[in-house]
Each structure stands twice: as structure tokens, then as C-alpha cells.
Amino acid sequence: MFETAKIQDWSVDQEGTHLKIWIPGRNLLEFLAEKLVHDCGLWLEDGRHITAAQRKKIYATVRDISEYTGYLPEEQKEWLKYLHIERTGCQYFSLSTCSITTAREYINTILDYALEAGIPLTDLAINRTDDIGRYLYSCIMRRRCCVCGQPGEIHHVDAIGMGRDRRQVDDSDSRKICLCRVHHTEAHNTGMPTFEKRHKVYGIKITSCGDQSVPAA
């Protein structure tokens, strides 16, 4: 369930941040009582509107996807909006007035879709993303090279060690990145510091490459 709420009050102590929220026009007593709801996610909107750079990234990516699928760009944009709504539970939005946060999450969704479908982009996806950590995570989970978007394999930035069975090793504390064979070889030949600086990518920590875990900070 997705609801829009207003923050009425807050306080901070050693335990964390305490928020008092209000959901206007909704009586959720029955739902909360029946489901014994005690936990929820929280999405904080900063109130700033979509930027020109975000809008440019969105329309360029939508155009690439529409050329691949055969839909008109305006049709493709709306289809991708509803895909985003389905995946995130957010409300319908306009790209002329939405917040920076909504635009960033929409970019995540359309790049995820391009990775899933193997859709070629006219520019590197790393230049289109507005959330580099989220993009690198998506590449790992979908086994797509974060540099070029081709099918990829997991490269452990923090080496596990020779002779160890990677299937038996807990690598959750090891930084990983997904690279195609060409870029994987380049990373080995140049060394990761040079490779990361050249391509503006880096390894991230996730609990597992085979589930939908959230990337570690």
C-alpha cells in the first residue's frame, strides 16, 4: 500500500529520528488493526522540482527505448510511467512538475527496463543515470556490464583469493562490479583504480548477487 503523508512533527535523540505523520483523507484503522502493521517504508521528498538535466536524460532514454520497441516516444513515455507506478507504488506524475526524487526514481526504472530488455542506448547508461549506486546494483543483479550494457559477469574488486571456492565463500563484504568480458579484461590489465577513474564506476557491496538485497553503503 502506498500513501502520501505529511510530516507534522519530528524529534531526534540517541535512538534515532522520531516522526509524527498525518495521512489526509484516509482512515486506515481497520487495515492497521487487521494486518497488525508495525513497519513501513519512508520516502522523503525534498520539494525541489525536476531539473533540466534530469528531463534531458529521461527524454533521451525514452526515445532510445521507443526506437527499439516501435512505439511513438509519447506512448512509450506513458507506458514507462505506468511501469514505474506498478513497480514503486507511487502516484501518477507529470515530468513538467514532479520532484527531483520522483524524476530520479523514474530514471532508475527506465534504465532498469533497458537493462532487462537489452535495449541499446545512444549514450552510455552511466551518463544517463541520476543514481550511480542504484545503477551499479541493477547491473549486478541483471548481469549487465555497467560500462557498455552488454551481458556481463561479476568482478570482485576485493579479491577473494586464489584456490577458494567462491560458491562456499561469504562475499557480502566484498565490493563487486558487473563487467563484460572486454571490460573485465581491461580492469585486470589496468588495475581497478585506473579503470574506475576512466569509466566513472566503482565496486559496491551487496549481501548476495542472487537475490534482491539492497546495496550496502
Side-chain angles (χ1 to χ4, degrees):
M1 175 183 289
F2 176 86
E3 297 289 345
T4 300
K6 301 290 186 181
I7 298 176
Q8 292 189 312
D9 196 11
W10 66 87
S11 62
V12 179
D13 57 27
Q14 293 181 347
E15 303 262 329
T17 300
H18 304 266
L19 296 178
K20 179 181 179 181
I21 66 172
W22 169 57
I23 302 176
R26 295 281 281 155
N27 185 342
L28 300 179
L29 177 61
E30 183 177 351
F31 173 79
L32 295 172
E34 284 188 0
K35 303 295 184 179
L36 300 177
V37 177
H38 297 289
D39 300 300
C40 68
L42 183 64
W43 185 315
L44 298 175
E45 293 278 6
D46 59 18
R48 295 177 296 164
H49 287 164
I50 181 174
T51 68
Q54 287 179 317
R55 195 175 287 110
K56 181 178 179 180
K57 292 175 181 178
I58 288 171
Y59 280 100
T61 305
V62 168
R63 184 170 59 252
D64 287 340
I65 295 173
S66 71
E67 289 181 359
Y68 181 86
T69 63
Y71 286 103
L72 294 173
E74 191 63 26
E75 293 175 326
Q76 190 70 70
K77 182 185 70 175
E78 289 301 304
W79 187 90
L80 289 166
K81 277 188 186 180
Y82 284 107
L83 176 67
H84 179 67
I85 290 169
E86 177 185 353
R87 292 187 176 186
T88 66
C90 78
Q91 296 179 331
Y92 186 83
F93 57 95
S94 168
L95 290 176
S96 62
T97 59
C98 69
S99 70
I100 282 179
T101 303
T102 297
R104 180 181 301 118
E105 294 299 322
Y106 183 56
I107 292 172
N108 285 342
T109 294
I110 62 179
L111 286 179
D112 281 352
Y113 179 72
L115 287 172
E116 292 164 10
I119 297 174
L121 303 178
T122 53
D123 190 12
L124 297 178
I126 197 71
N127 296 329
R128 296 273 180 86
T129 185
D130 208 45
D131 185 347
I132 179 63
R134 176 65 174 73
Y135 169 71
L136 293 171
Y137 169 74
S138 184
C139 288
I140 289 174
M141 302 310 294
R142 290 165 176 79
R143 296 300 194 275
R144 289 282 175 175
C145 177
C146 63
V147 177
C148 66
Q150 294 297 311
E153 55 196 14
I154 303 304
H155 171 58
H156 286 80
V157 178
D158 302 312
I160 290 179
M162 294 291 293
R164 302 179 67 187
D165 187 346
R166 296 190 175 193
R167 294 170 298 180
Q168 304 298 322
V169 174
D170 178 7
D171 65 353
S172 59
D173 201 41
S174 172
R175 290 175 297 151
K176 309 172 195 66
I177 191 169
C178 189
L179 302 171
C180 67
R181 184 57 58 88
V182 171
H183 286 110
H184 200 163
T185 300
E186 180 187 345
H188 279 294
N189 290 340
T190 65
M192 278 307 295
T194 299
F195 184 85
E196 290 175 341
K197 184 176 180 180
R198 177 183 297 167
H199 295 290
K200 299 182 177 62
V201 297
Y202 52 86
I204 62 172
K205 295 181 181 180
I206 60 174
T207 58
S208 171
C209 290
D211 60 25
Q212 296 300 314
S213 308
V214 176

